[in-house]
Amino acid sequence: MDALPVVLTIITASTPLLLAATGELVTEKAGVLNLGVEGMMLVGAIAAFATAVSTGSGLLAILVGAFSGVAVAAIFAILTLTFLANQVATGLALTIFGVGLSALIGSSFVGISLEPLPQLNVEFLSTIPILGELLFGHDVLVYLSFIMILLAGYFLSKTRPGLILRAVGESHDSAHALGYSVLTVRYLAVLFGGFMSGLAGSYLSLVYTPLWAENMTAGRGWIALALVVFGTWRAGRIAFGAYLFGAITILQLHVQGWGINIASQFMTMLPYIATVVVLVLISQDRTKIKMNAPQSIGKAFRPAK
Amino acid sequence: MKTEKLLFGLLILAAAIAAAVFFYKQSQDVSKKTMSTAEDTKVGFVYVGPIGDHGWTYQHNAGRLALEKSLGTKIKTSYVESVKEGPDSERVIQQLASSGHKVIFTTSFGFMNPTLKVAKKFPNVKFEHATGYKRDENVGTYSARFYEGRYIAGVIAGKVSKTNKIGYVASFPIPEVVRGINAFLLGARSVNPEMTISVVWVNSWYDPGKEGDAAKALIDQGADIISQHTDSPAPLQVAENRGVKGFGQASDMIKFAPKAQLSAIVNNWDNYYVERTKAAIDGSWKSQDVWYGLKEGMVKMAPYTNMPDDVQALAKKTEDAIRNGELHPFSGPIKDQTGKIVVEAGKVADAGMLLGMNFYVEGVQGSLPK
């Protein structure tokens, strides 16, 4: 069997995970836990699909999808940062809200088919055997997912604003005392998370399966959340984790196709088992958690008057 | 914190209002669509999915529209869509029954027990439950012999395939689905004994992402025909993009795959809904168990496209033979995977074997999940 198409399929399966996880990484590094990734992805997915169907423009659709994610994230930001609502409860509510809202908007778009986005092919390069197809045969969002995780990693570890963001996530009181605006930083981080989730949703409804179906994210938002912990808040490990998840998802289908006798339900469980195992392994090592986990995560910031 | 409590209160209030509006709207939906004069017979439908799913529910709703067209002013129809299987469905069925509906079609397997429960309370209302196996004096059941269509699809696949390999995206290992896989391969092997099927179970009726991934995996392993027993057009879309062929499921999906769809096995409930409603109106309605196929028109084939003329002719011939009863898809000799003969030459599989099918026929790759 030719391995190349399998690799290409794994890339498409991993991209939405990587996009959403990149956003959540930045959000969590600023000390905010947004569990509403699934909801933001769904709203992004339907907004992008609706735009693509009505205007026919893929680029516009991606933008609308991403900024719909931002809009939903803004609700979360206002509730948790300005009104200090509990982040866990609000995040869960946001997911349920996103499922409902996207289904409502999407009801008139069920059963419509869409031409996939024109691929951003670099013509002469993609004719290079194997390497060309592997590196250059993809659509815009695949490249964007790589660029964004690289930028996020660089931003968090090498730039001054990135350090400020991390300071806010480690100890909002100290950051506040130093004169940094905790709220501004966190608002921006949450909105960025929404932007990336919206992109991930757009990828699902525009490229992955170019149609709209209720609840089509099917738990990918939750996997993205798990990936951030899986990667211990490190960009490189998150990218690795996203591709590991994508690979397991696709390979379990191949294993079935080869007729290997393993219960398919068990194979469906595998990615989730992998998360649990990694979580347990990481938790064994306390320093590792301490080194990377933002200390103020999930805590509401109330500035001293 | 005061603000936190206030906010929490507001959230709960908002949720309560949303729930109230939702239920009010649902009850309005039912009552609005059912306003009618005294002489009309009201017919209700309960759907498991949205009417725009382009598969299972879409076809049931087409049947409802056909009923309206055929009986016109004599009846009024109403429907409730996206009803979850379980307790929620009982509430919906009860509401339809108590608001004067004389015939109620419940169109998903999981509505079986709620339908029977409500039926006991409303002995004068006729209930029709799709794909179930429990009946009562005022509850009939109906299903279709989709496997007849699968056999024809198999014959086409056997002629069109170059790699001799079929990729089959399946939902759950229940007899209905296993029967489809076997019928498909028997059809394919009737014209090309080299054909094999690889099955991937996605453990879902509707997860477009996963269905599409499964189709990609099967194509990467050399399948050049994709068939699915799940509800979304995603596998067919993948076939279209990858340049292989496939079949539509439940309804004609040609617009999702104009170059890839060879045909589609279409569920057609139109006549049945008209016939049973007429029977209820003139008083001849009796509880029965119906399993109709091509002959009665409950299973139809979408136009044969994207194939050479001789294959098209063969497909039509096969369709006619099944319709006339000259050909039974499960005619012996049939061997299971171990090579044991399960249906002897000259015989056909009996209803018990068809309804409880729990083995793969020879040529299916892998083993059946238990």
Side-chain angles (χ1 to χ4, degrees):
Chain A
M1 188 187 62
D2 203 354
L4 184 65
V6 182
V7 177
L8 294 179
T9 317
I10 290 174
I11 292 175
T12 44
S14 312
T15 298
L17 302 177
L18 185 54
L19 285 170
T22 306
E24 183 66 14
L25 167 69
V26 173
T27 306
E28 289 191 13
K29 270 292 186 188
V32 184
L33 180 66
N34 184 355
L35 296 179
V37 177
E38 183 93 356
M40 299 187 294
M41 278 174 77
L42 278 168
V43 173
I46 183 57
F49 188 76
T51 311
V53 168
S54 359
T55 67
S57 160
L59 199 64
L60 188 65
I62 292 173
L63 279 176
V64 172
F67 280 98
S68 308
V70 172
V72 181
I75 302 176
F76 177 85
I78 293 168
L79 286 175
T80 59
L81 299 177
T82 303
F83 292 107
L84 303 177
N86 180 295
Q87 292 181 7
V88 173
T90 313
L92 289 173
L94 198 68
T95 289
I96 301 169
F97 169 74
V99 171
L101 180 69
S102 60
L104 182 70
I105 304 171
S107 58
S108 50
F109 289 96
V110 172
I112 296 176
S113 183
L114 187 70
E115 289 293 309
L117 283 179
Q119 300 197 326
L120 187 81
N121 269 333
V122 186
E123 279 304 330
F124 77 95
L125 284 176
S126 56
T127 52
I128 303 169
I130 301 181
L131 212 58
E133 215 179 318
L134 195 59
L135 294 180
F136 301 103
H138 309 290
D139 44 81
V140 195
L141 285 170
V142 172
Y143 299 111
L144 197 63
S145 73
F146 285 120
I147 296 170
M148 290 312 271
I149 189 72
L150 280 175
L151 280 182
Y154 179 77
F155 169 79
L156 287 174
S157 58
K158 298 278 192 294
T159 68
R160 190 175 162 77
L163 289 178
I164 296 173
L165 183 139
R166 275 166 58 196
V168 166
E170 291 301 327
S171 167
H172 43 225
D173 291 323
S174 312
H176 181 65
L178 285 171
Y180 297 123
S181 170
V182 173
L183 278 190
T184 310
V185 170
R186 289 198 168 160
Y187 258 96
L188 288 175
V190 170
L191 295 184
F192 177 74
F195 182 85
M196 295 306 289
S197 294
L199 275 184
S202 318
Y203 186 78
L204 282 177
S205 66
L206 295 177
V207 185
Y208 200 57
T209 44
L211 51 83
W212 165 251
E214 255 176 57
N215 218 344
M216 67 183 296
T217 49
R220 287 182 182 85
W222 295 108
I223 296 185
L225 271 166
L227 276 174
V228 178
V229 185
F230 180 100
T232 58
W233 295 272
R234 302 280 285 270
R237 291 187 196 156
I238 289 174
F240 170 76
Y243 272 77
L244 184 70
F245 268 61
I248 295 178
T249 319
I250 298 302
L251 290 180
Q252 66 108 340
L253 298 171
H254 277 279
V255 167
Q256 281 197 53
W258 288 322
I260 296 169
N261 189 12
I262 303 174
S264 61
Q265 291 88 343
F266 175 75
M267 303 299 288
T268 317
M269 266 161 46
L270 267 185
Y272 302 92
I273 293 179
T275 314
V276 174
V277 169
V278 169
L279 282 180
V280 170
L281 287 179
I282 295 172
S283 312
Q284 296 284 314
D285 190 348
R286 296 201 77 143
T287 48
K288 217 177 230 167
I289 292 264
K290 266 212 167 124
M291 292 281 285
N292 297 305
Q295 294 299 301
S296 307
I297 192 158
K299 290 184 193 147
F301 173 65
R302 300 184 185 89
K305 293 267 155 60
Chain B
M1 269 310 281
K2 236 182 175 173
T3 40
E4 203 163 317
K5 271 189 188 156
L6 184 73
L7 196 78
F8 192 61
L10 277 177
L11 266 178
I12 291 188
L13 192 69
I17 293 172
V21 169
F22 177 74
F23 286 121
Y24 178 73
K25 198 177 152 275
Q26 250 196 3
S27 60
Q28 283 295 89
D29 279 355
V30 172
S31 51
K32 195 169 59 198
K33 285 170 199 151
T34 55
M35 283 210 294
S36 60
T37 48
E39 61 265 34
D40 291 346
T41 302
K42 295 208 270 183
V43 186
F45 290 82
V46 185
Y47 301 140
V48 70
I51 56 172
D53 71 352
H54 237 274
W56 182 254
T57 296
Y58 180 84
Q59 288 302 124
H60 282 289
N61 195 51
R64 182 184 69 87
L65 296 174
L67 174 64
E68 276 192 337
K69 206 170 163 197
S70 157
L71 296 184
T73 53
K74 276 196 272 183
I75 53 146
K76 285 270 175 189
T77 69
S78 49
Y79 67 88
V80 186
E81 59 181 328
S82 297
V83 176
K84 287 213 162 58
E85 298 181 331
D88 214 25
S89 64
E90 191 182 320
R91 190 178 56 77
V92 172
I93 300 166
Q94 170 122 13
Q95 196 176 19
L96 286 171
S98 59
S99 57
H101 290 79
K102 288 291 160 241
V103 189
I104 296 172
F105 293 91
T106 55
T107 63
S108 184
F109 181 76
F111 298 155
M112 182 161 70
N113 290 328
T115 304
L116 284 152
K117 222 166 149 188
V118 178
K120 279 220 162 36
K121 294 187 218 162
F122 295 91
N124 295 324
V125 178
K126 313 295 183 214
F127 292 86
E128 290 273 350
H129 176 237
T131 69
Y133 56 83
K134 290 187 192 166
R135 281 162 289 280
D136 207 339
E137 255 174 43
N138 58 337
V139 182
T141 53
Y142 61 103
S143 186
R145 296 176 186 265
F146 306 117
Y147 68 87
E148 296 181 344
R150 297 266 177 214
Y151 186 88
I152 303 168
V155 170
I156 298 167
K159 281 283 178 193
V160 172
S161 175
K162 291 189 177 69
T163 61
N164 293 341
K165 193 166 167 183
I166 298 154
Y168 205 100
V169 181
S171 50
F172 295 99
I174 55 172
E176 163 78 36
V177 177
V178 176
R179 198 162 57 229
I181 295 167
N182 286 341
F184 198 107
L185 188 62
L186 290 173
R189 289 208 156 187
S190 72
V191 293
N192 177 359
E194 303 287 305
M195 295 300 289
T196 59
I197 283 190
S198 291
V199 184
V200 168
W201 299 94
V202 293
N203 298 309
S204 168
W205 285 111
Y206 198 68
D207 179 346
K210 208 168 170 196
E211 293 171 43
D213 282 343
K216 284 179 200 162
L218 287 161
I219 294 167
D220 290 342
Q221 292 186 2
D224 66 350
I225 303 282
I226 290 294
S227 182
Q228 74 275 17
H229 203 141
T230 48
D231 289 346
S232 94
L236 194 57
Q237 269 187 327
V238 169
E240 173 92 5
N241 287 339
R242 293 288 189 96
V244 304
K245 303 284 186 226
F247 294 91
Q249 157 80 354
S251 74
D252 191 345
M253 295 179 169
I254 188 82
K255 69 177 181 180
F256 289 97
K259 291 196 292 286
Q261 180 177 295
L262 294 164
S263 182
I265 301 143
V266 179
N267 312 348
N268 176 18
W269 313 103
D270 302 11
N271 295 338
Y272 186 73
Y273 288 162
V274 173
E275 182 189 306
R276 296 301 278 168
T277 307
K278 273 188 185 157
I281 294 172
D282 65 25
S284 63
W285 192 96
K286 274 200 179 59
S287 170
Q288 60 177 26
D289 174 25
V290 150
W291 199 19
Y292 286 164
L294 284 167
K295 189 172 139 220
E296 296 86 355
M298 200 176 258
V299 177
K300 283 201 166 149
M301 298 303 287
Y304 299 112
T305 45
N306 296 316
M307 66 183 86
D309 290 345
D310 60 319
V311 181
Q312 201 173 37
L314 180 66
K316 282 187 181 140
K317 209 179 109 198
T318 313
E319 187 184 333
D320 288 339
I322 295 176
R323 188 179 290 119
N324 305 334
E326 292 161 20
L327 173 67
H328 190 292
F330 285 93
S331 306
I334 298 175
K335 286 185 193 163
D336 71 7
Q337 277 184 307
T338 60
K340 196 179 94 191
I341 292 195
V342 283
V343 180
E344 279 169 40
K347 293 197 172 148
V348 298
D350 57 20
M353 177 181 279
L354 288 178
L355 289 171
M357 194 157 284
N358 60 354
F359 63 89
Y360 279 152
V361 298
E362 193 174 42
V364 182
Q365 308 291 303
S367 59
L368 181 62
K370 288 282 178 313

